[in-house]
Amino acid sequence: MKELKVPVTERRRLTRNSIYSFIYESESPPSKHEIAQKLGLSLPTVHQNITELLNAGLIQVGKVQKSTGGRRAIGYSIVSDIKFAVGISITADKVHFLASDLKQSELAYKQIAIGSLKMNEIGARVAGDLETFLNENRLDRSRMLGVGITLPAVLDEEKDEVKLSPTMQMRNISLSTIREPIPYTTYIENDGTSGGFAEWFGSRNTVGNNIAYLYLENGVGGAVLINGAQYYGKNRRSGEFGHMCVEPGGLLCSCGKRGCLEAYCSALRISTKIGVSIEEFFDGLKQGNREYRLLWEDLLEHLAIGINNIHMMLDCDVVLGGFLSQYLEPYLPELKRMVEQKDTFEDGSEYLRLGRYPRKANMMGVAWCYIKKYIESV
Protein backbone atom coordinates (compact mmCIF):
# COMPACT_ATOMS: atom_id res chain seq x y z
CA MET A 1 0.00 0.00 0.00
CA LYS A 2 1.43 3.35 -1.05
CA GLU A 3 0.95 6.60 0.82
CA LEU A 4 -1.44 8.96 -0.95
CA LYS A 5 0.66 11.78 -2.40
CA VAL A 6 -0.25 15.42 -1.99
CA PRO A 7 -1.22 16.76 -5.46
CA VAL A 8 0.89 19.48 -7.05
CA THR A 9 -2.05 21.87 -7.14
CA GLU A 10 -5.18 22.39 -5.06
CA ARG A 11 -7.24 21.95 -8.20
CA ARG A 12 -5.91 18.41 -8.64
CA ARG A 13 -6.63 17.64 -4.98
CA LEU A 14 -10.20 18.86 -5.38
CA THR A 15 -10.60 16.67 -8.45
CA ARG A 16 -9.37 13.63 -6.55
CA ASN A 17 -11.60 14.49 -3.60
CA SER A 18 -14.65 14.86 -5.86
CA ILE A 19 -14.03 11.33 -7.18
CA TYR A 20 -13.50 9.85 -3.71
CA SER A 21 -16.56 11.68 -2.35
CA PHE A 22 -18.69 10.49 -5.26
CA ILE A 23 -17.69 6.88 -4.60
CA TYR A 24 -18.32 7.41 -0.88
CA GLU A 25 -21.84 8.77 -1.44
CA SER A 26 -22.89 6.32 -4.15
CA GLU A 27 -25.47 3.71 -3.13
CA SER A 28 -23.80 1.12 -5.38
CA PRO A 29 -20.17 0.94 -6.60
CA PRO A 30 -19.87 3.30 -9.61
CA SER A 31 -17.73 2.54 -12.67
CA LYS A 32 -15.07 4.84 -14.11
CA HIS A 33 -17.40 5.73 -16.97
CA GLU A 34 -20.21 6.64 -14.56
CA ILE A 35 -17.85 8.77 -12.44
CA ALA A 36 -16.55 10.59 -15.53
CA GLN A 37 -20.07 11.21 -16.81
CA LYS A 38 -21.54 12.43 -13.48
CA LEU A 39 -18.59 14.67 -12.58
CA GLY A 40 -17.84 15.93 -16.08
CA LEU A 41 -14.27 14.60 -16.07
CA SER A 42 -12.25 12.86 -18.77
CA LEU A 43 -11.74 9.10 -18.49
CA PRO A 44 -7.91 9.47 -18.31
CA THR A 45 -8.31 11.84 -15.33
CA VAL A 46 -10.67 9.42 -13.59
CA HIS A 47 -8.37 6.47 -14.34
CA GLN A 48 -5.32 8.25 -12.88
CA ASN A 49 -7.12 9.21 -9.66
CA ILE A 50 -8.74 5.80 -9.27
CA THR A 51 -5.28 4.21 -9.57
CA GLU A 52 -3.88 6.52 -6.86
CA LEU A 53 -6.79 5.78 -4.52
CA LEU A 54 -6.49 2.02 -5.10
CA ASN A 55 -2.74 2.06 -4.47
CA ALA A 56 -3.28 4.00 -1.24
CA GLY A 57 -5.83 1.43 -0.06
CA LEU A 58 -8.60 4.03 0.22
CA ILE A 59 -10.90 2.36 -2.29
CA GLN A 60 -11.37 -1.19 -3.53
CA VAL A 61 -12.85 -2.95 -6.51
CA GLY A 62 -16.53 -3.45 -5.83
CA LYS A 63 -19.00 -5.69 -7.55
CA VAL A 64 -18.86 -6.04 -11.33
CA GLN A 65 -21.79 -4.20 -12.89
CA LYS A 66 -24.29 -5.81 -15.28
CA SER A 67 -23.22 -5.87 -18.90
CA THR A 68 -25.14 -3.88 -21.50
CA GLY A 69 -23.11 -5.52 -24.24
CA GLY A 70 -19.36 -5.89 -24.30
CA ARG A 71 -17.06 -6.05 -21.27
CA ARG A 72 -18.80 -5.69 -17.89
CA ALA A 73 -17.86 -2.48 -16.07
CA ILE A 74 -16.02 -2.66 -12.74
CA GLY A 75 -17.41 -0.63 -9.84
CA TYR A 76 -15.48 0.88 -6.91
CA SER A 77 -16.26 1.33 -3.23
CA ILE A 78 -14.40 2.91 -0.33
CA VAL A 79 -12.49 0.83 2.22
CA SER A 80 -14.61 1.71 5.24
CA ASP A 81 -12.42 0.23 7.98
CA ILE A 82 -9.22 2.01 7.02
CA LYS A 83 -10.13 4.65 9.61
CA PHE A 84 -12.52 4.93 12.54
CA ALA A 85 -13.54 7.45 15.17
CA VAL A 86 -14.77 7.11 18.75
CA GLY A 87 -17.73 8.96 20.22
CA ILE A 88 -18.16 9.18 24.01
CA SER A 89 -21.27 10.35 25.83
CA ILE A 90 -20.81 11.51 29.43
CA THR A 91 -23.94 11.88 31.55
CA ALA A 92 -24.51 12.35 35.28
CA ASP A 93 -24.03 8.66 36.11
CA LYS A 94 -22.95 6.83 32.94
CA VAL A 95 -20.38 6.89 30.15
CA HIS A 96 -21.14 5.41 26.74
CA PHE A 97 -18.48 4.51 24.15
CA LEU A 98 -19.09 3.97 20.42
CA ALA A 99 -16.64 3.30 17.57
CA SER A 100 -17.73 4.03 13.99
CA ASP A 101 -16.07 3.30 10.65
CA LEU A 102 -16.05 5.64 7.64
CA LYS A 103 -19.46 4.43 6.43
CA GLN A 104 -21.05 5.14 9.82
CA SER A 105 -21.27 1.47 10.75
CA GLU A 106 -20.97 0.71 14.45
CA LEU A 107 -17.80 -1.24 15.20
CA ALA A 108 -18.23 -1.44 18.97
CA TYR A 109 -20.36 -0.08 21.80
CA LYS A 110 -20.16 -0.13 25.59
CA GLN A 111 -22.01 1.47 28.50
CA ILE A 112 -20.36 1.93 31.91
CA ALA A 113 -21.95 3.14 35.15
CA ILE A 114 -19.65 5.66 36.84
CA GLY A 115 -21.76 6.71 39.81
CA SER A 116 -21.34 10.20 41.14
CA LEU A 117 -17.87 11.51 40.23
CA LYS A 118 -16.40 14.95 40.76
CA MET A 119 -15.53 16.87 37.61
CA ASN A 120 -11.79 16.54 38.18
CA GLU A 121 -12.20 12.74 38.41
CA ILE A 122 -14.17 12.27 35.18
CA GLY A 123 -11.27 12.79 32.76
CA ALA A 124 -9.02 10.16 34.32
CA ARG A 125 -11.90 7.68 34.60
CA VAL A 126 -12.93 8.17 30.96
CA ALA A 127 -9.32 7.92 29.75
CA GLY A 128 -8.85 4.58 31.51
CA ASP A 129 -12.18 3.17 30.32
CA LEU A 130 -11.37 4.32 26.77
CA GLU A 131 -8.15 2.28 26.73
CA THR A 132 -10.09 -0.76 27.98
CA PHE A 133 -12.73 -0.22 25.28
CA LEU A 134 -10.09 -0.04 22.52
CA ASN A 135 -8.30 -3.13 23.85
CA GLU A 136 -11.43 -5.23 24.32
CA ASN A 137 -12.53 -4.58 20.74
CA ARG A 138 -9.03 -4.83 19.24
CA LEU A 139 -9.29 -1.40 17.65
CA ASP A 140 -6.05 -0.29 16.01
CA ARG A 141 -5.13 3.09 17.51
CA SER A 142 -3.06 4.00 14.43
CA ARG A 143 -6.30 4.04 12.42
CA MET A 144 -8.20 6.20 14.89
CA LEU A 145 -9.06 9.68 13.60
CA GLY A 146 -9.88 11.05 17.03
CA VAL A 147 -12.12 10.97 20.07
CA GLY A 148 -15.30 13.02 20.33
CA ILE A 149 -16.99 13.63 23.68
CA THR A 150 -20.50 14.93 24.30
CA LEU A 151 -21.80 16.61 27.44
CA PRO A 152 -25.33 17.74 28.37
CA ALA A 153 -24.01 21.26 28.80
CA VAL A 154 -23.74 24.76 27.37
CA LEU A 155 -20.08 25.13 26.38
CA ASP A 156 -18.04 28.33 26.23
CA GLU A 157 -15.53 27.80 23.40
CA GLU A 158 -13.58 30.98 24.13
CA LYS A 159 -13.05 30.11 27.81
CA ASP A 160 -12.87 26.36 27.07
CA GLU A 161 -15.28 25.53 29.85
CA VAL A 162 -18.68 24.14 30.76
CA LYS A 163 -20.78 27.26 31.15
CA LEU A 164 -23.77 25.41 32.60
CA SER A 165 -24.97 21.82 32.91
CA PRO A 166 -28.13 21.57 35.04
CA THR A 167 -28.41 17.77 34.84
CA MET A 168 -24.75 17.31 35.84
CA GLN A 169 -24.88 20.22 38.31
CA MET A 170 -21.83 21.91 36.79
CA ARG A 171 -21.07 25.56 36.15
CA ASN A 172 -17.90 27.28 34.91
CA ILE A 173 -15.78 24.10 34.87
CA SER A 174 -12.67 23.88 32.64
CA LEU A 175 -12.93 21.31 29.83
CA SER A 176 -9.20 20.61 30.18
CA THR A 177 -10.00 18.42 33.20
CA ILE A 178 -11.69 16.00 30.78
CA ARG A 179 -9.48 16.48 27.72
CA GLU A 180 -5.96 16.42 29.16
CA PRO A 181 -5.90 12.82 30.54
CA ILE A 182 -6.87 11.48 27.09
CA PRO A 183 -3.73 10.90 24.92
CA TYR A 184 -5.53 11.33 21.57
CA THR A 185 -6.95 14.18 19.52
CA THR A 186 -10.09 15.05 21.47
CA TYR A 187 -13.09 17.21 20.61
CA ILE A 188 -15.84 18.11 23.11
CA GLU A 189 -19.33 19.16 22.02
CA ASN A 190 -22.85 19.61 23.35
CA ASP A 191 -24.90 16.39 23.20
CA GLY A 192 -27.89 17.89 21.38
CA THR A 193 -25.68 19.58 18.80
CA SER A 194 -23.92 16.28 18.12
CA GLY A 195 -27.21 14.40 17.86
CA GLY A 196 -28.52 16.91 15.36
CA PHE A 197 -25.43 16.54 13.21
CA ALA A 198 -25.83 12.75 13.24
CA GLU A 199 -29.44 13.00 12.07
CA TRP A 200 -28.49 15.35 9.24
CA PHE A 201 -25.31 13.50 8.20
CA GLY A 202 -26.98 10.08 8.31
CA SER A 203 -29.95 11.29 6.23
CA ARG A 204 -28.25 13.94 4.10
CA ASN A 205 -29.34 12.37 0.81
CA THR A 206 -33.01 12.14 1.79
CA VAL A 207 -33.78 15.23 3.91
CA GLY A 208 -33.56 18.95 3.34
CA ASN A 209 -30.47 20.95 4.20
CA ASN A 210 -32.17 22.77 7.07
CA ILE A 211 -33.40 20.97 10.19
CA ALA A 212 -34.19 21.75 13.81
CA TYR A 213 -33.35 18.83 16.09
CA LEU A 214 -35.15 18.42 19.41
CA TYR A 215 -33.23 16.10 21.76
CA LEU A 216 -35.41 14.40 24.42
CA GLU A 217 -33.48 12.64 27.18
CA ASN A 218 -33.11 13.28 30.92
CA GLY A 219 -32.57 16.83 29.77
CA VAL A 220 -33.93 18.54 26.64
CA GLY A 221 -31.65 20.18 24.09
CA GLY A 222 -31.25 20.40 20.38
CA ALA A 223 -29.49 21.81 17.37
CA VAL A 224 -30.10 23.96 14.29
CA LEU A 225 -28.49 22.96 10.99
CA ILE A 226 -28.52 25.37 8.04
CA ASN A 227 -27.39 24.03 4.67
CA GLY A 228 -25.99 21.07 6.56
CA ALA A 229 -23.81 23.25 8.82
CA GLN A 230 -24.40 23.68 12.52
CA TYR A 231 -25.59 27.13 13.54
CA TYR A 232 -24.11 27.80 16.96
CA GLY A 233 -25.27 31.35 17.62
CA LYS A 234 -23.25 34.17 19.14
CA ASN A 235 -22.72 32.39 22.46
CA ARG A 236 -22.97 28.75 21.25
CA ARG A 237 -26.42 28.47 22.80
CA SER A 238 -28.41 27.93 19.61
CA GLY A 239 -30.75 24.96 19.90
CA GLU A 240 -31.12 25.11 23.69
CA PHE A 241 -34.80 24.44 23.16
CA GLY A 242 -35.18 22.84 26.57
CA HIS A 243 -35.10 26.22 28.25
CA MET A 244 -37.74 28.01 26.20
CA CYS A 245 -40.74 28.85 28.37
CA VAL A 246 -43.85 26.83 27.49
CA GLU A 247 -45.79 27.48 30.72
CA PRO A 248 -45.16 30.84 32.46
CA GLY A 249 -44.79 30.26 36.20
CA GLY A 250 -45.02 26.51 35.64
CA LEU A 251 -42.97 23.56 36.86
CA LEU A 252 -39.54 24.21 38.34
CA CYS A 253 -36.72 23.35 35.90
CA SER A 254 -33.25 22.06 36.81
CA CYS A 255 -31.88 25.40 35.54
CA GLY A 256 -33.70 27.22 38.36
CA LYS A 257 -36.36 28.86 36.16
CA ARG A 258 -40.02 27.88 35.89
CA GLY A 259 -42.02 26.66 32.92
CA CYS A 260 -39.17 25.40 30.73
CA LEU A 261 -39.81 22.76 28.05
CA GLU A 262 -37.29 20.52 29.84
CA ALA A 263 -39.35 20.60 33.05
CA TYR A 264 -42.33 19.22 31.13
CA CYS A 265 -40.89 16.98 28.42
CA SER A 266 -37.77 15.29 29.78
CA ALA A 267 -37.56 11.60 30.66
CA LEU A 268 -36.48 12.72 34.13
CA ARG A 269 -39.93 14.21 34.72
CA ILE A 270 -41.48 10.77 34.25
CA SER A 271 -39.06 8.92 36.51
CA THR A 272 -39.20 11.63 39.20
CA LYS A 273 -42.97 12.20 39.16
CA ILE A 274 -44.06 8.56 38.91
CA GLY A 275 -41.00 6.87 40.41
CA VAL A 276 -40.71 4.19 37.71
CA SER A 277 -38.36 3.49 34.81
CA ILE A 278 -39.21 4.72 31.31
CA GLU A 279 -39.92 1.15 30.20
CA GLU A 280 -42.29 0.59 33.13
CA PHE A 281 -44.05 3.88 32.42
CA PHE A 282 -44.81 3.03 28.79
CA ASP A 283 -45.89 -0.49 29.73
CA GLY A 284 -48.34 1.02 32.21
CA LEU A 285 -49.47 3.57 29.63
CA LYS A 286 -50.34 0.76 27.19
CA GLN A 287 -52.29 -1.01 29.95
CA GLY A 288 -54.44 2.09 30.52
CA ASN A 289 -52.98 3.43 33.79
CA ARG A 290 -54.94 6.66 34.38
CA GLU A 291 -52.18 8.47 36.30
CA TYR A 292 -49.67 7.68 33.57
CA ARG A 293 -52.11 8.80 30.87
CA LEU A 294 -52.74 12.19 32.49
CA LEU A 295 -49.01 12.83 32.79
CA TRP A 296 -48.40 11.73 29.20
CA GLU A 297 -51.16 13.97 27.83
CA ASP A 298 -49.65 16.94 29.66
CA LEU A 299 -46.18 16.07 28.35
CA LEU A 300 -47.48 15.82 24.76
CA GLU A 301 -49.39 19.10 25.10
CA HIS A 302 -46.28 21.01 26.15
CA LEU A 303 -44.14 19.18 23.60
CA ALA A 304 -46.58 20.31 20.88
CA ILE A 305 -46.23 23.91 22.12
CA GLY A 306 -42.45 23.64 21.92
CA ILE A 307 -42.49 22.07 18.45
CA ASN A 308 -44.87 24.74 17.14
CA ASN A 309 -42.64 27.49 18.57
CA ILE A 310 -39.55 25.99 16.94
CA HIS A 311 -41.26 25.61 13.57
CA MET A 312 -42.73 29.12 13.80
CA MET A 313 -39.28 30.62 14.41
CA LEU A 314 -37.21 28.53 11.98
CA ASP A 315 -39.69 27.34 9.31
CA CYS A 316 -37.89 24.05 8.66
CA ASP A 317 -38.24 20.32 9.34
CA VAL A 318 -38.30 19.39 13.03
CA VAL A 319 -36.68 16.06 13.98
CA LEU A 320 -37.29 14.42 17.37
CA GLY A 321 -34.40 12.46 18.85
CA GLY A 322 -32.97 11.22 22.14
CA PHE A 323 -33.91 7.98 23.90
CA LEU A 324 -37.42 9.22 24.79
CA SER A 325 -38.21 9.54 21.07
CA GLN A 326 -37.99 5.78 20.55
CA TYR A 327 -41.27 5.43 22.47
CA LEU A 328 -43.08 8.16 20.50
CA GLU A 329 -44.03 6.33 17.31
CA PRO A 330 -47.44 5.02 18.54
CA TYR A 331 -48.30 8.53 19.76
CA LEU A 332 -46.95 10.48 16.78
CA PRO A 333 -50.37 10.90 15.07
CA GLU A 334 -51.77 12.31 18.33
CA LEU A 335 -48.79 14.65 18.72
CA LYS A 336 -49.12 15.81 15.11
CA ARG A 337 -52.79 16.66 15.62
CA MET A 338 -51.87 18.75 18.66
CA VAL A 339 -49.18 20.55 16.68
CA GLU A 340 -51.54 21.22 13.75
CA GLN A 341 -54.11 22.80 16.08
CA LYS A 342 -51.48 25.28 17.27
CA ASP A 343 -50.04 26.15 13.84
CA THR A 344 -51.13 29.53 12.49
CA PHE A 345 -50.02 29.02 8.89
CA GLU A 346 -50.08 25.32 7.96
CA ASP A 347 -52.82 22.72 7.83
CA GLY A 348 -50.44 19.76 8.13
CA SER A 349 -47.44 18.70 10.16
CA GLU A 350 -45.42 16.83 7.55
CA TYR A 351 -42.36 18.76 8.70
CA LEU A 352 -42.33 16.77 11.97
CA ARG A 353 -40.66 13.36 12.08
CA LEU A 354 -38.84 10.98 14.39
CA GLY A 355 -35.07 10.68 14.11
CA ARG A 356 -33.25 7.63 12.76
CA TYR A 357 -30.94 7.29 15.78
CA PRO A 358 -32.90 7.59 19.05
CA ARG A 359 -30.31 5.94 21.30
CA LYS A 360 -26.83 6.81 20.08
CA ALA A 361 -27.14 9.94 17.93
CA ASN A 362 -24.91 12.13 20.10
CA MET A 363 -22.01 9.64 20.04
CA MET A 364 -22.46 9.03 16.34
CA GLY A 365 -22.55 12.74 15.58
CA VAL A 366 -19.42 13.66 17.51
CA ALA A 367 -17.54 10.73 15.91
CA TRP A 368 -18.85 11.50 12.42
CA CYS A 369 -17.44 15.04 12.63
CA TYR A 370 -13.99 13.42 12.32
CA ILE A 371 -15.20 11.22 9.48
CA LYS A 372 -16.64 14.18 7.56
CA LYS A 373 -13.35 16.06 7.89
CA TYR A 374 -11.40 13.00 6.76
CA ILE A 375 -13.57 12.51 3.68
CA GLU A 376 -13.10 16.17 2.78
CA SER A 377 -9.30 15.92 3.22
CA VAL A 378 -8.62 13.06 0.78
Side-chain angles (χ1 to χ4, degrees):
M1 185 186 299
K2 296 181 182 178
E3 185 175 346
L4 193 64
K5 294 181 180 179
V6 178
V8 176
T9 65
E10 177 64 7
R11 182 178 178 181
R12 285 193 62 189
R13 190 198 73 79
L14 291 174
T15 298
R16 183 175 69 193
N17 184 259
S18 68
I19 293 170
Y20 181 72
S21 296
F22 182 80
I23 296 171
Y24 180 85
E25 297 286 357
S26 296
E27 292 184 7
S28 58
S31 66
K32 291 178 183 177
H33 184 270
E34 184 181 350
I35 295 169
Q37 189 175 47
K38 294 289 186 180
L39 298 181
L41 300 171
S42 68
L43 275 172
T45 297
V46 173
H47 175 77
Q48 177 186 347
N49 283 277
I50 287 290
T51 300
E52 290 177 0
L53 292 168
L54 282 169
N55 289 339
L58 296 182
I59 64 172
Q60 60 192 352
V61 175
K63 63 183 179 183
V64 178
Q65 298 185 350
K66 291 182 180 179
S67 174
T68 56
R71 182 184 297 177
R72 289 188 293 177
I74 295 173
Y76 299 91
S77 61
I78 73 157
V79 178
S80 61
D81 63 355
I82 194 170
K83 297 290 182 182
F84 73 93
V86 173
I88 302 174
S89 169
I90 300 176
T91 64
D93 60 350
K94 294 183 180 69
V95 178
H96 306 256
F97 296 84
L98 180 142
S100 171
D101 69 10
L102 293 183
K103 290 296 284 184
Q104 301 122 58
S105 294
E106 182 181 308
L107 300 176
Y109 172 76
K110 185 177 184 179
Q111 174 184 299
I112 299 173
I114 59 173
S116 181
L117 293 179
K118 295 179 181 178
M119 188 64 182
N120 59 4
E121 299 172 328
I122 292 176
R125 174 63 188 268
V126 169
D129 289 337
L130 172 60
E131 297 298 338
T132 302
F133 175 73
L134 295 173
N135 290 336
E136 287 177 345
N137 294 286
R138 299 181 180 180
L139 295 170
D140 183 354
R141 290 163 174 79
S142 68
R143 293 174 181 255
M144 185 165 64
L145 295 170
V147 176
I149 297 175
T150 72
L151 293 170
V154 176
L155 306 180
D156 188 323
E157 186 177 30
E158 186 176 330
K159 294 183 178 179
D160 192 38
E161 67 179 18
V162 172
K163 194 72 176 174
L164 175 66
S165 175
T167 58
M168 293 188 71
Q169 300 181 339
M170 295 189 301
R171 184 187 292 269
N172 301 329
I173 302 295
S174 174
L175 292 173
S176 64
T177 59
I178 297 176
R179 188 187 300 111
E180 288 181 357
I182 298 173
Y184 312 107
T185 301
T186 304
Y187 165 64
I188 301 176
E189 185 54 273
N190 170 268
D191 56 356
T193 298
S194 298
F197 178 74
E199 287 294 345
W200 174 81
F201 191 64
S203 309
R204 60 196 177 284
N205 294 324
T206 58
V207 299
N209 285 333
N210 306 327
I211 67 168
Y213 177 69
L214 184 55
Y215 188 63
L216 305 169
E217 297 224 344
N218 284 331
V220 175
V224 178
L225 287 99
I226 301 174
N227 293 324
Q230 290 155 308
Y231 173 71
Y232 289 101
K234 183 178 179 180
N235 298 297
R236 293 183 70 90
R237 297 176 197 157
S238 173
E240 284 293 334
F241 301 129
H243 299 291
M244 76 165 79
C245 184
V246 293
E247 186 74 49
L251 297 177
L252 182 65
C253 181
S254 58
C255 71
K257 305 294 184 181
R258 288 190 174 274
C260 294
L261 183 65
E262 181 172 302
Y264 285 88
C265 299
S266 69
L268 200 59
R269 181 192 181 191
I270 294 173
S271 58
T272 301
K273 176 79 174 178
I274 305 295
V276 298
S277 69
I278 296 298
E279 291 79 9
E280 291 170 330
F281 173 80
F282 282 100
D283 285 342
L285 192 60
K286 289 177 183 177
Q287 294 167 14
N289 184 296
R290 176 173 167 76
E291 181 186 9
Y292 292 10
R293 183 65 201 179
L294 289 174
L295 174 60
W296 184 240
E297 287 176 354
D298 188 64
L299 188 152
L300 288 181
E301 173 66 19
H302 288 91
L303 181 58
I305 293 171
I307 291 168
N308 182 58
N309 288 346
I310 293 168
H311 186 248
M312 187 73 67
M313 288 185 289
L314 299 174
D315 191 23
C316 64
D317 286 357
V318 178
V319 180
L320 304 181
F323 69 76
L324 188 58
S325 70
Q326 70 183 313
Y327 300 98
L328 280 175
E329 187 170 3
Y331 309 98
L332 192 59
E334 181 181 359
L335 176 60
K336 285 191 170 186
R337 284 194 296 272
M338 291 178 168
V339 170
E340 288 168 9
Q341 290 170 359
K342 294 171 173 51
D343 198 311
T344 304
F345 301 112
E346 297 197 26
D347 296 327
S349 53
E350 295 306 310
Y351 63 84
L352 177 64
R353 64 180 176 84
L354 298 178
R356 296 176 62 180
Y357 313 108
R359 275 285 181 183
K360 303 172 182 176
N362 56 339
M363 290 172 283
M364 292 173 173
V366 79
W368 294 351
C369 284
Y370 285 104
I371 290 169
K372 182 174 182 287
K373 289 177 183 178
Y374 176 78
I375 300 301
E376 293 170 348
S377 72
V378 171

